[in-house]
Amino acid sequence: MEKMSSTLPTVGCIKAVHGPVVDIACEVLPPLHRALCSSVDHETYKFEVHQHLDETHVRAITLHRTTGLRRGTPVFDTGSTLRVPVAPECLNRLLNVFGEPLDGGPPIPPRSYHDVLARPPPLHQIKASTEILETGIKVIDLLCPFIRGGKTGLFGGAGVGKTVLIMEFMHAIVKLHHGVSVFAGVGERIREGHELWREMESAGVMPHTLMVFGQMDESPGVRFRVGLSALAYAEYLRDGMGKEVLFLMDNAYRFVQAGSEISGLLGRMPATVGYQPTLMTEVAELEDRIISTTHGSITSVQAVYVPADDMTDPAVSTLLNHLDTTVILSRSQAAQGIYPAVDPLQSGSKMMDPHVLGGRHYALAEGVREHLARYRELEDILTMLGIEELSEKDRRIVLRARKLQRYLSQPFHVVSEHTGIPGASVPLADTLDDCEAFLRGDYDQVPEEQCYMRASMKGGRA
């Protein structure tokens, strides 16, 4: 306490504590979003200013549990907004919202500090996103390609393979593009976070990965800022080290929920469907920083929970407005054993354009979609009457669609230990050649089971 008071200026003292909200009586009002701190029994507490109540009082959100705080406790001014220490040694680490280690390792030796609330880069430094980022995952590269420096939403419920798909993206960035991954666990359960960390260690991608966690039992202020804290590290890796960065967030919906919680605690009147009136601004503050610059690119994959499967929910539609690619994971695909369980008809990308993909890729993607759509239309007839009742043309489409559906499954590197099937990464050129051959009828005599869980049709079993 004495050490802190000797190094930082006193801003005031705590007047009231209401859950995670603290009212502070100040001699001089600190600006909004200023990080303040206090110390009780050798434990440091950090606050973020969110409201000026009057000429002498501010309202702040604590970024810790409030146990131990009491009226009259002195509060000190850190002199800046929330910042995290950055250095090349941040890779292969598990950190909290302040950049402090959660993995039992030593603290990061800071080369510098990066502002969690940094502004987006100026327009003249921004590069347009027109380049496809290959992942080696057939169904994604073919039907909903990722955009280098773009934003992808991964919509899926529990148990459909969302986490495995995220881990495979990390593996692809490391192996194919020699890049790095930054994972933001927003409101993660401790069990989920620990399992993900251990699985990524066993998959061998942790040396090129940084994980930042704000757990479910922490203050809403932590859950609200942990995504931006992880993004500060992604910006450092992009600008300071010139890396190709994959930024993953699980779950973007919990970021919105934390903002809604804070809005309620501050006494704001809720807006549409009970969400905070600042919803669009808060989402834009996060999304507008995920961008390609002249130094490098940040490509984002965000898992998004859809409440009650309602895609028109204000939180979901606000996030959708910022996304370039939408990947919908389907429970019916998973039930058939088709992994990754991507719904090929609902998923899509803004880059599905012949001028961007090239005429051949676009035509093949549309051909595959047409076959799968026709197969889905005919499923009820097949169930009731059987394939013999179909016309020759429809019978041919159904047989090819079933093989394409199985061909778009793929064994992943990160779960090869559990499945016993070696992981496969398929170049886009091979995927296009195979799909062209399927649509042409070259594989009409090949049994369906030989199309399932393999790499390219040319290269044999994965």
Side-chain angles (χ1 to χ4, degrees):
M1 184 76 166
E2 290 73 23
K3 185 181 176 184
M4 184 178 291
S5 60
S6 65
T7 56
L8 296 175
T10 304
V11 75
C13 65
I14 293 175
K15 202 73 178 171
V17 180
H18 310 281
V21 176
V22 173
D23 290 349
I24 302 167
C26 302
E27 297 154 17
V28 178
L29 286 184
L32 291 176
H33 303 306
R34 177 62 61 90
L36 309 177
C37 62
S38 187
S39 180
V40 178
D41 300 328
H42 306 292
E43 187 169 348
T44 301
Y45 295 83
K46 289 187 181 174
F47 317 100
E48 188 179 21
V49 177
H50 276 266
Q51 271 183 346
H52 287 176
L53 299 178
D54 55 37
E55 293 88 342
T56 56
H57 291 84
V58 298
R59 181 161 286 167
I61 298 290
T62 59
L63 300 174
H64 299 268
R65 290 187 180 91
T66 51
T67 311
L69 286 179
R70 51 184 175 266
R71 287 179 179 176
T73 304
V75 178
F76 306 97
D77 188 352
T78 64
S80 69
T81 54
L82 193 62
R83 298 189 302 166
V84 289
V86 292
E89 293 82 2
C90 64
L91 291 173
N92 199 15
R93 298 303 302 271
L94 190 69
L95 307 174
N96 67 8
V97 68
F98 308 112
E100 299 165 348
L102 292 174
D103 52 13
I108 291 175
R111 298 280 179 90
S112 61
Y113 287 86
H114 202 294
D115 191 349
V116 166
L117 298 176
R119 297 180 67 80
L123 278 172
H124 68 270
Q125 290 184 12
I126 295 172
K127 284 172 63 181
S129 303
T130 55
E131 191 180 341
I132 299 303
L133 184 76
E134 279 195 42
T135 63
I137 301 169
K138 293 180 286 190
V139 64
I140 284 173
D141 288 345
L142 176 70
L143 299 176
C144 42
F146 280 14
I147 301 160
R148 189 185 298 271
K151 295 178 270 284
T152 298
L154 193 60
F155 298 83
V160 292
K162 200 164 62 227
T163 303
V164 172
L165 198 51
I166 280 176
M167 288 165 59
E168 191 70 12
F169 293 148
M170 292 181 180
H171 187 276
I173 283 289
V174 171
K175 299 295 181 187
L176 299 181
H177 304 283
H178 307 291
V180 295
S181 301
V182 177
F183 180 87
V186 183
E188 286 281 291
R189 298 172 185 88
I190 291 172
R191 170 188 58 79
E192 289 175 340
H194 186 265
E195 285 176 3
L196 182 64
W197 178 35
R198 293 304 181 195
E199 282 174 7
M200 284 170 57
E201 279 189 326
S202 62
V205 297
M206 262 320 277
H208 305 279
T209 302
L210 164 67
M211 303 181 81
V212 185
F213 279 103
Q215 294 164 21
M216 192 173 271
D217 64 333
E218 294 191 79
S219 155
V222 169
R223 287 179 273 122
F224 188 54
R225 290 302 184 214
V226 69
L228 295 170
S229 189
L231 191 50
Y233 280 105
E235 288 170 335
Y236 165 72
L237 292 167
R238 177 195 67 193
D239 300 334
M241 297 178 66
K243 296 284 189 181
E244 175 90 42
V245 184
L246 178 67
F247 176 73
L248 304 114
M249 181 185 279
D250 189 8
N251 188 303
Y253 183 74
R254 292 197 197 119
F255 162 74
V256 172
Q257 274 187 316
S260 180
E261 225 173 302
I262 287 173
S263 185
L265 289 166
L266 296 174
R268 293 191 193 124
M269 186 70 73
T272 319
V273 200
Y275 287 108
Q276 62 270 41
T278 51
L279 170 65
M280 296 179 80
T281 310
E282 290 167 4
V283 170
E285 281 175 358
L286 175 79
E287 300 289 354
D288 287 354
R289 286 169 60 186
I290 302 169
I291 212 153
S292 288
T293 69
T294 49
H295 302 289
S297 66
I298 299 177
T299 304
S300 164
V301 179
Q302 303 162 35
V304 183
Y305 166 71
V306 183
D309 293 331
D310 179 15
M311 292 294 284
T312 62
D313 183 88
V316 176
S317 57
T318 302
L319 285 161
L320 269 171
N321 289 336
H322 291 272
L323 300 177
D324 302 300
T325 302
T326 308
V327 179
I328 311 283
L329 296 182
S330 156
R331 200 167 293 283
S332 63
Q333 290 281 100
Q336 295 175 60
I338 308 293
Y339 285 102
V342 176
D343 188 316
L345 301 181
Q346 290 191 61
S347 304
S349 171
K350 288 180 180 174
M351 290 294 180
M352 287 302 291
D353 184 294
H355 299 294
V356 177
L357 300 180
R360 179 170 179 252
H361 183 168
Y362 181 79
L364 289 172
E366 289 301 298
V368 169
R369 272 215 178 89
E370 284 170 15
H371 276 63
L372 294 171
R374 184 62 180 155
Y375 172 44
R376 191 166 289 184
E377 286 172 11
L378 295 168
E379 273 183 324
D380 288 344
I381 296 172
L382 288 168
T383 304
M384 290 186 289
L385 303 175
I387 196 168
E388 295 78 15
E389 298 301 315
L390 298 179
S391 67
E392 183 63 37
K393 182 183 176 185
D394 281 344
R395 200 179 306 174
R396 193 164 57 244
I397 287 172
V398 164
L399 292 172
R400 287 177 185 171
R402 286 175 63 88
K403 286 172 186 171
L404 279 166
Q405 188 183 49
R406 282 151 182 75
Y407 170 73
L408 292 176
S409 67
Q410 187 169 337
F412 282 167
H413 294 91
V414 293
V415 290
S416 56
E417 283 184 19
H418 305 292
T419 61
I421 307 172
S425 181
V426 184
L428 176 59
D430 289 357
T431 303
L432 295 178
D433 289 345
D434 288 342
C435 290
E436 192 171 42
F438 275 113
L439 296 175
R440 206 168 43 224
D442 295 2
Y443 295 121
D444 283 359
Q445 304 309 314
V446 175
E448 285 177 11
E449 57 271 17
Q450 286 188 23
C451 304
Y452 179 66
M453 279 293 170
R454 64 182 295 160
S456 166
M457 295 296 287
K458 301 179 250 181
R461 203 79 182 167

